[in-house]
Amino acid sequence: MPDAVAKTTVTCTVNGKQRTLRVYPMARLLDVLREEWQLTGTKEGCGEGECGACSVLIDGELVNSCLVPVLQVEGAEITTIEGVADGDRLHAVQEAFISSGGAQCGICTPGMILAAVNLLERVPDPGEAEIRTGLAGNLCRCTGYTKIFAAVVRACQRTQAKA
Amino acid sequence: MERFAYANPSTLKEAVGLLSSRWGETAILAGGTDLLSLMKNYVAAPKRLVSIKNIAELRGINSDTDGIRIGALTTLQELLDDESIRRDFPALAHAAEGVASMQLRNMGTVGGDLCQRPRCWYFRSGFGLLAQDEQGRSLVTEGDNRYHAILGNRGPAYFVHPSSLAPALIALDARVSIFGPKGENSMLLKDFFQTPQSANERETVLQTDEIVTRITIPSFLRGWPNATYEIRPKEALDWPLATASVLLQLEGDAVAHAHVVLGHVAPIPWNAESASQWLVGQRINEQTAAKAGMEAVRDARPLSGNGYKVKLASVAVKRALLAAVQGGA
Ligand SMILES: Cc1cc2nc3c(=O)[nH]c(=O)nc-3n(C[C@H](O)[C@H](O)[C@H](O)COP(=O)(O)OP(=O)(O)OC[C@H]3O[C@@H](n4cnc5c(N)ncnc54)[C@H](O)[C@@H]3O)c2cc1C
Ligand code: FES
Ligand code: FES
């Protein structure tokens, strides 16, 4: 193969802020977020798409950042767990995770919250089955899921009470 | 992972020009959900990756009088969100839904699902597709084969084909279009898959410099009852143990034509021809559906640790048939 592997420039928006970086094209988005931009809220569990701990939103779509080569986010808008709160005001889903005991060790929590935020954007008032399928790509080894599902229900009640 | 170069062509011609005619040198990158894992584990180590994501003609689902054309870059979620596919081809929608992670459905593409490599743990650990030791003995027959093939497993291949879309698409008589150095051609999707007979062969007939461009389902099948039934250990983030996809043409209550395809039981999506033939003239009910299920696995030869899959496959056929006549699943 003739081509030498060279770094390239990637520009994208992360949590509303524009970022530019020289990197190897196939660096995983997960590593770039954590190591280059110090956004360590995004976690690595399996590194193979099996756990959802690394979930982020790319242009509003939920994806596993461990499977995304950074070059594929050129021009994209990325939201990580650090971008979910509005300044100091936590998102309804974050508050509900705290009050419902939806987080224990916390490794799955950032991904779980992004999956829940994404679910509520698509389906504002999900039933139990929709909550289960919406979070099916996220594994939790601690909570047994019940309190996580309860947190999602509580978050919709809060958002609806406000609306 | 090794370092390698990355190309991002916007036409098929350009993309094919960037692909090597030798296996292993280059690889096509679509959603990356399979390829990145293979590379991370050094099962694939291409020197150049050719992303096809910017090739516009590979996107979208369109219908014309011939058929429903599904571009290779259609994501599993787009397939699931398509109303006409959900209404007319529940067999396919249900198979897409079975990949139960929103994240994977948003990234994984139809082309990638059909071309993904087997999940056989010996293959994924670097023992090759045929999973043999240095003396050429099968690690599968002597080892842990609980998820391996029960049909089409006379050797040397024992893996099961991982795609859950493929059995549904084959039941729906889909064709696959392929673009290569000589231009485009198409074939029945069932002929796209092959059981490798030697270490030089792969699980599909695709050459290294060819790209799957789209899948076409014949239009006249709209309205024919069809369904998929999957048996999985859990509800999420796992692989099916056995699946069945069925398509029926009914005349009154009786079956005029049937197509039964099993998934995750053989190195290829498994055409259960004798079950399809047996169904002709039958009315679908508990008894006939169960009988067709038994017919579908009559030739099964389980390995030391996967006898349980024979029953599962037979039950999957029964439930898929019942679901098809009850309006899809
Ligand atoms: C935890 C987990 C569970 C899963 N469960 C299931 C399941 O139950 N059923 C199921 O079917 N799948 C399942 N998958 C697999 C997933 O559906 C596939 O990985 C995905 O569909 C592949 O699409 P992709 O676009 O990401 O492919 P990529 O990873 O980009 O590519 C996969 C392979 O196909 C080749 N390729 C891709 N597109 C083309 C093309 N157009 N032409 C030629 N070659 C091409 C690539 O070179 C590569 O070798 C699962 C995956 C994970 C991680
Ligand atoms: S770390 Fe990405 S899915 Fe587990
Ligand atoms: S809280 Fe520990 S993995 Fe979910």
Side-chain angles (χ1 to χ4, degrees):
Chain A
M1 292 284 95
D3 353 11
V5 183
K7 287 193 176 180
T8 62
T9 305
V10 174
T11 302
C12 58
T13 308
V14 185
N15 300 327
K17 191 172 144 200
Q18 192 172 333
R19 306 243 188 188
T20 299
L21 183 73
R22 300 267 318 149
V23 313
Y24 289 107
M26 288 298 292
R28 303 183 301 171
L29 176 60
L30 170 67
D31 297 326
V32 172
L33 289 170
R34 291 179 54 86
E35 283 157 31
E36 303 288 337
W37 295 329
Q38 277 76 51
L39 293 169
T40 53
T42 306
K43 304 299 180 207
E44 173 160 14
C46 62
E48 313 216 329
E50 292 173 4
C51 76
C54 64
S55 300
V56 301
L57 302 176
I58 299 183
D59 293 330
E61 280 196 352
L62 189 68
V63 303
N64 295 321
S65 64
C66 70
L67 296 177
V68 178
V70 70
L71 248 209
Q72 289 192 338
V73 302
E74 172 65 33
E77 266 190 48
I78 300 167
T79 306
T80 69
I81 187 67
E82 288 88 349
V84 170
D86 178 8
D88 284 342
R89 259 212 359 261
L90 292 184
H91 189 283
V93 170
Q94 290 174 305
E95 288 198 336
F97 265 69
I98 297 172
S99 54
S100 306
Q104 288 185 21
C105 81
I107 287 285
C108 73
T109 313
M112 205 59 98
I113 287 178
L114 281 164
V117 167
N118 179 252
L119 169 68
L120 297 186
E121 271 161 20
R122 287 179 291 120
V123 192
D125 190 13
E128 155 129 19
E130 282 162 316
I131 298 178
R132 281 172 174 270
T133 49
L135 303 186
N138 295 74
L139 210 69
C140 174
R141 302 298 301 269
C142 303
T143 64
Y145 301 99
T146 313
K147 291 185 172 173
I148 291 177
F149 298 151
V152 179
V153 172
R154 186 182 285 228
C156 342
Q157 287 162 350
R158 274 214 27 191
T159 6
Q160 277 166 359
K162 263 196 267 172
Chain B
M1 243 191 262
E2 310 267 5
R3 296 223 163 112
F4 38 74
Y6 177 96
N8 203 3
S10 52
T11 66
L12 280 170
K13 250 203 153 118
E14 234 183 298
V16 164
L18 288 160
L19 290 167
S20 163
S21 55
R22 285 224 300 273
W23 282 114
E25 290 198 334
T26 56
I28 296 167
L29 175 68
T33 58
D34 186 37
L35 188 59
L36 263 74
S37 288
L38 292 167
M39 290 175 57
K40 188 170 151 247
N41 299 327
Y42 300 99
V43 178
K47 298 193 190 69
R48 186 198 290 149
L49 279 190
V50 180
S51 168
I52 54 173
K53 281 220 146 167
N54 277 341
I55 305 178
E57 65 190 279
L58 298 180
R59 295 192 176 273
I61 303 174
N62 325 285
S63 304
D64 60 19
T65 44
D66 284 353
I68 297 88
R69 298 146 155 261
I70 304 170
L73 282 179
T74 305
T75 64
L76 302 187
Q77 187 62 33
E78 285 165 350
L79 207 54
L80 194 54
D81 288 341
D82 189 277
E83 240 172 73
S84 75
I85 287 186
R86 278 211 311 271
R87 184 189 57 231
D88 296 328
F89 304 115
L92 180 58
H94 192 66
E97 196 176 13
V99 182
S101 147
M102 184 79 201
Q103 291 89 324
L104 291 171
R105 288 198 307 271
N106 278 335
M107 293 194 282
T109 64
V110 170
D113 187 86
L114 299 175
C115 299
Q116 62 175 308
R117 306 302 314 274
R119 288 275 160 176
C120 162
W121 41 44
Y122 298 105
F123 169 63
R124 295 267 164 173
S125 316
F127 291 99
L129 193 53
L130 302 180
Q132 293 172 341
D133 68 12
E134 276 136 36
Q135 281 80 47
R137 280 182 306 231
S138 168
L139 295 164
V140 178
T141 49
E142 302 300 313
D144 189 342
N145 49 40
R146 71 183 90 170
Y147 299 132
H148 286 80
I150 54 169
L151 282 156
N153 60 355
R154 310 269 154 104
Y158 298 95
F159 62 85
V160 296
H161 197 277
S163 169
S164 2
L165 299 189
L169 287 166
I170 290 173
L172 297 170
D173 292 327
R175 296 186 74 82
V176 56
S177 302
I178 294 168
F179 189 91
K182 295 197 202 98
E184 191 172 80
N185 64 14
S186 81
M187 64 177 84
L188 280 171
L189 184 62
K190 81 172 169 47
D191 298 327
F192 178 73
F193 298 102
Q194 64 178 10
T195 304
Q197 299 302 325
S198 74
N200 303 325
E201 289 179 1
R202 289 215 163 190
E203 65 277 15
T204 69
V205 299
L206 197 73
Q207 299 300 306
T208 146
D209 51 2
E210 291 180 325
I211 299 172
V212 170
T213 55
R214 82 185 102 79
I215 300 295
T216 309
I217 303 174
S219 297
F220 67 85
L221 294 183
R222 286 184 200 275
W224 292 30
N226 62 87
T228 290
Y229 192 91
E230 298 192 323
I231 299 180
R232 291 174 177 263
K234 299 185 281 157
E235 280 173 42
L237 290 164
D238 61 1
W239 293 85
L241 300 169
T243 71
S245 295
V246 300
L247 169 76
L248 298 171
Q249 183 187 23
L250 298 178
E251 269 168 24
D253 281 349
V255 174
H257 170 84
H259 200 174
V260 178
V261 184
L262 304 178
H264 305 269
V265 295
I268 51 173
W270 190 257
N271 252 309
E273 262 163 48
S274 65
S276 305
Q277 276 164 21
W278 183 84
L279 280 162
V280 174
Q282 305 290 335
R283 286 178 168 69
I284 304 290
N285 55 39
E286 282 274 335
Q287 287 73 38
T288 54
K291 182 88 202 304
M294 270 146 60
E295 196 59 41
V297 296
R298 206 165 44 142
D299 295 333
R301 280 227 219 140
L303 305 170
S304 59
N306 65 5
Y308 74 101
K309 285 181 68 164
V310 177
K311 181 76 191 278
L312 296 187
S314 139
V315 169
V317 170
K318 171 181 158 191
R319 294 192 183 162
L321 286 167
L322 292 172
V325 292
Q326 282 151 18

